[in-house]
Amino acid sequence: MSARRTRIVDLIPAAAEGANVEITGWIRTSRFGKNISFVHVFDGSTPKTIQAILTPALAEAHKGDLGVGAAVRITGTWKASPGGEQAFEVAAHTVKIVGTCDASDYPLQKKRTSMEHLRTIAHLRPRTNTFQAVFRVRHAVSWHIHRFFHERGFLWIHTPIITTSDAEGAGELFEVVATGESGEPFFGRSAFLTVSGQLAVENFAQAFTDVYTFGPTFRAEHSHTTRHAAEFWMIEPEIAFADLDDVLALAEDFVKSVAEGVLTDCADDMAFFDRFIEKGLLDSLRAVLDAPFARVTWHEARALLAEAEAQGKTFEHAVSAPGFELQTEHERWLAEEHFGRPVFVTNYPASQKAFYMRLDDEETDGVATVAATDLLVPRIGELIGGSQREERLDVLDARLAAHGLPAETYWWYRDLRRYGSVPHGGFGLGLERLILWLTGMQNIRDVLPFPRTPGQAEF
Amino acid sequence: MSARRTRIVDLIPAAAEGANVEITGWIRTSRFGKNISFVHVFDGSTPKTIQAILTPALAEAHKGDLGVGAAVRITGTWKASPGGEQAFEVAAHTVKIVGTCDASDYPLQKKRTSMEHLRTIAHLRPRTNTFQAVFRVRHAVSWHIHRFFHERGFLWIHTPIITTSDAEGAGELFEVVATGESGEPFFGRSAFLTVSGQLAVENFAQAFTDVYTFGPTFRAEHSHTTRHAAEFWMIEPEIAFADLDDVLALAEDFVKSVAEGVLTDCADDMAFFDRFIEKGLLDSLRAVLDAPFARVTWHEARALLAEAEAQGKTFEHAVSAPGFELQTEHERWLAEEHFGRPVFVTNYPASQKAFYMRLDDEETDGVATVAATDLLVPRIGELIGGSQREERLDVLDARLAAHGLPAETYWWYRDLRRYGSVPHGGFGLGLERLILWLTGMQNIRDVLPFPRTPGQAEF
């Protein structure tokens, strides 16, 4: 597209002192003075702006149209800027106003606006510094996810969004109905928006060995937390000829590789988050990348928590209570206080996990466990959930029955265990949670382009 | 993942004569004879199989479990194969049956099965030669789409799937309802599955200049054709500071770059399609890549068709009829017979196109036209539809009114024309249609992992 325009991110390293350049973009700030007038122009390709110095004549001619938000095309001479943060400067020769911006009612004025208010103008917030950084990072994360898997020979499988199955055997679903539908449903029976592509993608793992999904998933939960949205994107790799150890190795490699990629590609944006959103972010991410993730079984984790409790630590949910399950407070203590780094908890009680997770060969303390794992990460809690899948048909059938699920519904899933069944497993990871962790942003609504939550599907 | 296993595609170039190797995968074919027995193993990483030669003792020990579909782990010595197509051979030392396959009812036996039948076992068809090739190519196409945009600095924007807007102002939609919902709808008003991310992504083009969507889209059409599915994936780039010429240049560059990438990465699979699915496929694709796409206005196209008609060519829909619109027969004649290569038709009558397309500055033959384009491609017909968007608020408002659309619904879309509006445009392309064109496959159901069509949402 170089014939069309030069992006600012490409212009900066290429332009030489005295060269004639053309910049296109939108005005971030402008200042008109007696002796000097300038505008700062951004185009989204980088957090850096170009400062265009206007002659008094140019300033006089265009002053009224060069407010915040206006679109411009400026030609001029590239010159070194006399110090300060603004290192990129153009002495303007011509200014063309491409699109004016009515300053009297433009919602993005210089003053700080709240995150809440910006959500009501989600069509304009991508122009602000914070959301410029958020969506550049969101792209970089997504790109490095694909890059990671592609380099390792995984195939991206587009598992269906509309489904008549439900991976968890429960959950609050959205139903899909053709408008004006009456009588026979469009798909012949009730259809829903997917909550996970895992069961579907397992079919492909047993044909291509290494596969993954990366697509939207849905929950019709009436939660109004900072971590839940009705629509979010999920990544679910699935590998065959693999056990739980292989799943853990893949997950650790994945998290580190994607984080490294983003830190490299978005160094300026990450510095922005470190400075304005979460102090110490970069140090905290670097620490994660430099050390191996910890690993502990669920029973070991419970023992550690019990020991802390015995030594005076108070948890809202007592560790010794019958039917104990790990709560957020325990997860945070493990990752943040005890290990001080990401930790895989493995081999959860079977009663706490889904039917498809592989039953461990031996019980622990008389408790049947499954080859499941959650990856707990400081600041964010659970980042990844995964497991080895049950590949033995007789065990799977017993687990389906124990969960009260009808075997007929899972006929094709059971078929995989009849025809060349192999040990296999995978994990699921929410894209937005990964972005929250990487950026220090606090609310899932602020890392989604147009968030969908109860009562909210505008834009 | 090299610690876990070596993929066959990596093993073949790396293994040296006499080396000890281990192969994991599923049996494609097996033969047991008095003097020689062998199995062919695939793992999905390549269309190539490895032939494992079994000693009489190994064959005797495992014969009953080494049928088609069984999962195996075989160690042995790598050796050059004595000619023929099967160039990769292992003299087996050990054979481990990872998962048996009940040959008595395994649906994928050696005999050819119809595409229709394979759709009823969509969980198993990825193991067949044809669908192995289809889904490797589907991945490669998807990868090269991301690669193309990423290299050019475009950001991937995840526009919402659930929406209260509708890009076309019409169309058969799926409605989304929370299960058990009564009274107040989940999102506060009626919500639908998206038919296009274009309007939403335009917001981001006006902040980041170059952006694209790549996600699932939906149509609740009761069509039972080979080209329609209720759920399919679409790619929609959107570029700012751009006119229709820029959109055409981007589209041509995109199609050629992605096709080149797939031809390079999937040479074996593409040769398979050329040989078994569509004779002459590779020559036809090469011809497309080597020549510039043609370009003609709608009025010029109509004149060409009228001339052909005058010279005796018969069309079902007469070109001289009032309110003439290009039909498939005309599109095919233009791309296949007249130009013999892909052709952009541009500047369609405004009355035939959507409200958001930019009104051309001058009429043609007294007809108001818009800066729209369709890319017509031999064998496939329309591959891409795009346009420059209307960036002038007054013209947009007039077009909304002419289409009977309420301006209030489009308040945020109209805002873009008030605050730093810029000429911009983009196009949309159906992923499955691109794959049909590249592979010669005939039915959209056979390039989707689990197709959703009227009456069908199994798996």
Side-chain angles (χ1 to χ4, degrees):
Chain A
M1 304 307 302
S2 55
R4 178 164 62 94
R5 55 184 291 278
T6 303
R7 301 161 66 228
I8 290 176
V9 72
D10 297 328
L11 181 67
I12 290 172
E17 179 80 14
N20 281 319
V21 297
E22 181 182 80
I23 53 174
T24 53
W26 294 270
I27 294 179
R28 167 91 62 217
T29 54
S30 55
R31 200 181 118 196
F32 295 91
K34 206 173 209 168
N35 301 314
I36 189 159
S37 299
F38 58 79
V39 295
H40 287 170
V41 178
F42 76 97
D43 72 354
S45 66
T46 162
K48 298 192 172 79
T49 56
I50 302 287
Q51 174 167 282
I53 311 291
L54 308 175
T55 60
L58 276 176
E60 190 53 37
H62 297 292
K63 196 170 173 172
D65 289 332
L66 284 175
V68 177
V72 292
R73 189 182 289 271
I74 296 175
T75 63
T77 306
W78 189 260
K79 52 179 286 220
S81 183
E85 280 196 30
Q86 185 54 52
F88 311 103
E89 215 171 270
V90 167
H93 302 159
T94 68
V95 170
K96 179 174 163 25
I97 309 295
V98 178
T100 58
C101 183
D102 186 351
S104 70
D105 68 345
Y106 187 47
L108 298 175
Q109 302 293 343
K110 256 182 282 185
K111 64 183 180 306
R112 273 190 104 95
T113 39
S114 72
M115 290 290 182
E116 288 74 17
H117 176 65
L118 288 171
R119 283 176 214 139
T120 67
I121 48 170
H123 60 313
L124 301 177
R125 68 176 183 171
R127 307 174 184 193
T128 65
N129 283 327
T130 299
F131 288 95
Q132 284 266 307
V134 164
F135 292 111
R136 273 192 299 265
V137 167
R138 187 176 170 108
H139 167 79
V141 173
S142 303
W143 165 253
H144 280 288
I145 289 167
H146 281 307
R147 191 230 1 112
F148 175 86
F149 288 122
H150 180 74
E151 284 176 359
R152 285 157 183 78
F154 285 60
L155 301 191
W156 183 19
I157 306 298
H158 300 101
T159 48
I161 308 304
I162 297 173
T163 173
T164 53
S165 318
D166 174 17
E168 302 289 334
E172 289 158 307
L173 302 175
F174 288 109
E175 189 166 358
V176 175
V177 183
T179 51
E181 184 172 298
S182 62
E184 181 75 359
F186 186 92
F187 294 108
R189 52 177 145 149
S190 299
F192 306 92
L193 293 182
T194 185
V195 297
S196 162
Q198 180 205 316
L199 300 195
V201 90
E202 281 188 50
N203 296 309
F204 280 79
Q206 207 153 313
F208 293 100
T209 313
D210 297 330
V211 294
Y212 70 109
T213 73
F214 186 169
T217 48
F218 304 86
R219 298 278 189 288
E221 282 175 58
H222 279 276
S223 345
H224 291 270
T225 77
T226 58
R227 294 295 164 87
H228 291 88
E231 175 181 326
F232 56 100
W233 283 63
M234 195 143 78
I235 298 98
E236 297 176 287
E238 188 76 25
I239 52 179
F241 298 100
D243 61 17
L244 186 64
D245 287 343
D246 296 314
V247 172
L248 265 57
L250 179 70
E252 181 165 349
D253 196 12
F254 170 85
V255 169
K256 290 182 171 177
S257 175
V258 171
E260 279 289 1
V262 173
L263 284 166
T264 304
D265 288 3
C266 299
D268 290 336
D269 288 318
M270 294 304 292
F272 173 90
F273 289 117
D274 187 68
R275 186 168 168 193
F276 295 109
I277 303 293
E278 169 99 16
K279 306 273 180 219
L281 175 72
L282 291 176
D283 286 344
S284 128
L285 291 175
R286 280 272 156 236
V288 165
L289 299 185
D290 291 345
F293 292 1
R295 180 171 171 171
V296 70
T297 68
W298 181 89
H299 278 87
E300 290 164 351
R302 190 180 59 171
L304 290 171
L305 290 158
E307 199 181 303
E309 207 170 48
Q311 286 169 9
K313 169 83 187 166
T314 309
F315 292 110
E316 202 179 319
H317 298 84
V319 181
S320 54
F324 171 74
E325 295 193 23
L326 286 179
Q327 306 290 336
T328 305
E329 57 176 334
H330 309 119
E331 295 178 344
R332 296 197 68 151
W333 181 85
L334 286 166
E336 292 170 10
E337 298 190 43
H338 185 77
F339 289 102
R341 59 195 162 114
V343 51
F344 288 110
V345 180
T346 64
N347 308 93
Y348 282 71
S351 59
Q352 297 180 15
K353 290 289 182 178
F355 75 89
Y356 52 75
M357 298 189 178
R358 191 181 192 281
L359 201 63
D360 288 324
D361 295 332
E362 290 177 19
E363 298 186 344
T364 303
D365 297 347
V367 175
T369 58
V370 286
T373 188
D374 280 358
L375 175 63
L376 312 178
V377 175
R379 278 198 293 117
I380 200 88
E382 186 199 323
L383 185 62
I384 278 177
S387 72
Q388 186 174 339
R389 319 307 184 188
E390 185 53 73
E391 89 281 13
R392 298 159 296 187
L393 185 59
D394 55 341
V395 184
L396 180 69
D397 281 347
R399 297 267 287 151
L400 279 169
H403 280 76
L405 296 169
E408 315 83 75
T409 308
Y410 296 90
W411 67 272
W412 49 269
Y413 193 70
R414 295 178 65 249
D415 265 5
L416 293 187
R417 280 70 185 168
R418 299 170 64 208
Y419 306 129
S421 187
V422 297
H424 65 289
F427 64 82
L429 161 135
L431 175 64
E432 287 75 20
R433 192 158 289 201
L434 181 60
I435 297 170
L436 291 174
W437 175 61
L438 287 170
T439 60
M441 295 289 289
Q442 291 297 315
N443 196 313
I444 193 170
R445 292 168 182 78
D446 299 327
V447 298
L448 278 156
F450 297 104
R452 271 69 180 105
T453 51
Q456 172 55 43
E458 181 72 274
F459 306 105
Chain B
M1 305 307 301
S2 55
R4 188 177 113 233
R5 55 184 292 280
T6 303
R7 301 160 66 227
I8 290 176
V9 72
D10 297 328
L11 181 67
I12 290 171
E17 179 80 14
N20 281 319
V21 298
E22 182 181 79
I23 53 174
T24 53
W26 294 270
I27 294 178
R28 166 90 64 217
T29 54
S30 57
R31 199 181 117 194
F32 296 93
K34 206 172 208 168
N35 300 315
I36 188 159
S37 298
F38 59 79
V39 295
H40 287 171
V41 178
F42 75 97
D43 72 355
S45 65
T46 161
K48 297 192 173 78
T49 57
I50 302 287
Q51 174 167 282
I53 309 290
L54 309 175
T55 61
L58 278 175
E60 191 53 36
H62 297 292
K63 195 171 173 172
D65 288 333
L66 285 175
V68 177
V72 292
R73 191 180 288 271
I74 296 175
T75 64
T77 307
W78 189 262
K79 51 180 289 220
S81 182
E85 281 195 28
Q86 184 53 53
F88 313 103
E89 216 171 87
V90 167
H93 302 158
T94 69
V95 170
K96 180 172 162 27
I97 309 295
V98 178
T100 57
C101 184
D102 186 349
S104 70
D105 69 344
Y106 187 48
L108 297 175
Q109 302 294 341
K110 256 181 284 184
K111 64 182 181 305
R112 274 189 103 93
T113 39
S114 72
M115 290 290 182
E116 288 73 17
H117 176 67
L118 288 171
R119 282 174 214 142
T120 68
I121 48 171
H123 61 313
L124 301 177
R125 69 176 183 171
R127 306 175 185 192
T128 64
N129 284 326
T130 299
F131 287 95
Q132 284 266 305
V134 163
F135 292 111
R136 273 191 300 266
V137 167
R138 188 177 169 106
H139 167 78
V141 173
S142 303
W143 165 253
H144 281 288
I145 289 168
H146 282 306
R147 195 246 334 130
F148 175 86
F149 289 121
H150 180 73
E151 285 176 0
R152 285 158 183 77
F154 284 60
L155 301 191
W156 183 19
I157 305 298
H158 299 103
T159 48
I161 309 303
I162 297 173
T163 174
T164 53
S165 318
D166 174 17
E168 302 290 333
E172 289 158 305
L173 302 175
F174 287 110
E175 189 166 358
V176 175
V177 183
T179 51
E181 183 173 301
S182 60
E184 181 74 0
F186 187 92
F187 294 108
R189 52 177 146 148
S190 299
F192 306 92
L193 294 182
T194 184
V195 298
S196 163
Q198 180 205 315
L199 300 196
V201 91
E202 280 187 52
N203 295 309
F204 280 79
Q206 207 153 314
F208 294 100
T209 312
D210 296 330
V211 294
Y212 70 108
T213 73
F214 186 169
T217 47
F218 305 85
R219 297 278 189 290
E221 282 175 58
H222 279 276
S223 345
H224 291 270
T225 78
T226 58
R227 295 295 164 86
H228 291 88
E231 174 181 326
F232 56 99
W233 284 62
M234 195 142 79
I235 298 99
E236 297 175 286
E238 189 77 22
I239 52 179
F241 298 100
D243 60 17
L244 186 63
D245 287 343
D246 296 314
V247 172
L248 265 57
L250 179 69
E252 181 166 348
D253 196 12
F254 171 84
V255 169
K256 289 181 171 177
S257 176
V258 171
E260 279 289 1
V262 173
L263 284 167
T264 303
D265 289 4
C266 300
D268 290 337
D269 288 319
M270 293 304 291
F272 172 90
F273 289 117
D274 188 67
R275 185 168 168 194
F276 294 110
I277 302 295
E278 169 100 17
K279 305 273 180 218
L281 175 71
L282 292 176
D283 285 345
S284 128
L285 292 174
R286 281 274 157 234
V288 165
L289 300 185
D290 291 345
F293 292 0
R295 180 171 170 171
V296 69
T297 68
W298 182 89
H299 279 88
E300 289 164 352
R302 190 180 59 171
L304 290 170
L305 290 159
E307 197 181 305
E309 206 169 49
Q311 285 169 10
K313 170 82 188 168
T314 310
F315 293 110
E316 204 178 315
H317 299 82
V319 179
S320 54
F324 171 73
E325 295 194 22
L326 284 180
Q327 306 290 336
T328 304
E329 57 176 334
H330 309 119
E331 295 179 343
R332 296 197 66 151
W333 181 85
L334 286 166
E336 293 170 9
E337 297 189 44
H338 185 76
F339 289 102
R341 59 196 164 114
V343 52
F344 287 110
V345 179
T346 65
N347 308 93
Y348 282 71
S351 59
Q352 297 180 15
K353 292 287 183 180
F355 75 89
Y356 51 74
M357 299 189 178
R358 190 181 194 280
L359 200 64
D360 288 323
D361 296 331
E362 291 178 18
E363 298 187 343
T364 302
D365 297 347
V367 175
T369 58
V370 286
T373 188
D374 282 357
L375 175 62
L376 312 178
V377 175
R379 279 199 292 116
I380 201 87
E382 185 198 324
L383 184 64
I384 279 176
S387 71
Q388 186 175 341
R389 321 306 186 188
E390 185 53 72
E391 89 281 12
R392 299 159 297 187
L393 184 59
D394 55 341
V395 184
L396 180 69
D397 281 346
R399 297 267 289 152
L400 279 169
H403 280 76
L405 296 169
E408 315 84 76
T409 308
Y410 296 90
W411 67 272
W412 48 270
Y413 193 71
R414 294 179 65 250
D415 265 5
L416 294 187
R417 279 71 185 167
R418 301 169 63 208
Y419 306 129
S421 186
V422 296
H424 65 290
F427 63 84
L429 161 133
L431 175 64
E432 287 75 19
R433 192 160 289 201
L434 180 60
I435 298 171
L436 291 174
W437 175 59
L438 287 170
T439 61
M441 295 290 289
Q442 291 298 314
N443 196 314
I444 194 171
R445 292 169 182 80
D446 298 328
V447 299
L448 278 157
F450 298 103
R452 272 68 179 104
T453 51
Q456 171 56 43
E458 182 70 277
F459 307 104

